[in-house]
Amino acid sequence: MSGAPKLQSLPEAAPPGALPQHVAIIMDGNRRWAEARGLPVALGHKAGAEAVRRTIQACAEQGIGWLTLFAFSSENWLRPPEEVTALTGLLRLYLRSEVATFAREGIRLRVIGDRARFGVETMREIDRAEAVTAGGTRLNVNVALSYGARDEILAAARAVAEAARAGTLDPASLDETAFAARLFTAGMPDPDLIIRTSGEQRLSNFLLWQAAYAEFVFQEVLWPDYGAEHLARALRDYGRRERRFGARPG
């Protein structure tokens, strides 16, 4: 039918042993790591920030092109106020301390999510970090902050509805590519591999649209203990799989 929406073409099946272009990680376990050691939760988050440094470096060394880290969900605002304050303070400190290293090593940093909820000071640090690292081509790092996939999809749907109402979009012409262009991840490849730490096995409202054909690896390690060896293990697991994107096996 001439007026039917076009479907996004799927990538060709990836051969076993291929390296993922885009790795996304649900960083889970900071609180449990701290509680197991009798430490304040804030120190668990601080140790988690060190794991972020190690993982970014490991991805750059492995030749990964894209890394998305789920750092703060839209639901995390419901945590105790003192924990939220500690998290946002750690975020600002991290941005200030790491931006020069990122720029020097060719790492581009971007934030996806509702950054406005963090306030003017944090937004200023985010904007500065994105601007300073904008020329990086070695590794693209996306940090999901105040992010929820359902909110993201709803916002994209509202944008489509507004465009249709304004007469700038024919709903019959809407396809997956046009819809994806209205998501926070517009212009980015979908994740090939999604890793979740701490033994939990759920998406928790993370990249629901983008994860349609992702491979999943669930690891028992708590996030503050994560390092290059854990990433390498996940990549080996991924490399043993043959991705067919819904096609029937040959």
Side-chain angles (χ1 to χ4, degrees), residues 46-82:
K46 185 176 179 181
E50 293 298 323
V52 168
R53 289 189 180 96
R54 295 192 297 269
T55 303
I56 289 174
Q57 184 63 36
C59 282
E61 292 174 356
Q62 288 278 1
I64 303 297
W66 293 80
L67 172 66
T68 298
L69 300 170
F70 198 10
F72 193 95
S73 74
S74 52
E75 293 78 18
N76 286 159
W77 292 106
L78 300 175
R79 291 185 176 184
E82 61 273 15

Side-chain angles (χ1 to χ4, degrees), residues 151-163 179 182-183:
D151 286 343
E152 176 187 30
I153 293 169
L154 281 172
R158 291 189 192 103
V160 167
E162 289 293 334
F179 187 84
R182 291 168 168 83
L183 299 172

Side-chain angles (χ1 to χ4, degrees), residues 55-146:
T55 303
I56 289 174
Q57 184 63 36
C59 282
E61 292 174 356
Q62 288 278 1
I64 303 297
W66 293 80
L67 172 66
T68 298
L69 300 170
F70 198 10
F72 193 95
S73 74
S74 52
E75 293 78 18
N76 286 159
W77 292 106
L78 300 175
R79 291 185 176 184
E82 61 273 15
E83 184 177 352
V84 173
T85 299
L87 273 168
T88 54
L90 181 62
L91 169 62
R92 289 194 297 271
L93 178 63
Y94 185 87
L95 290 170
R96 292 168 187 157
S97 64
E98 296 301 310
V99 65
T101 300
F102 283 0
R104 184 173 61 251
E105 296 189 1
I107 297 169
R108 182 177 183 179
L109 178 70
R110 279 179 279 196
V111 168
I112 61 173
D114 183 11
R115 66 180 70 188
R117 290 196 65 177
F118 287 96
V120 174
E121 183 181 357
T122 302
M123 285 178 62
R124 188 181 300 119
E125 291 294 338
I126 291 171
D127 292 343
R128 185 181 74 88
E130 289 181 331
V132 170
T133 64
T137 57
R138 183 183 180 197
L139 172 63
N140 293 276
V141 175
N142 307 312
V143 181
L145 295 172
S146 190

Side-chain angles (χ1 to χ4, degrees), residues 7-19:
L7 295 177
Q8 185 181 35
S9 60
L10 294 175
E12 293 183 3
L19 194 68

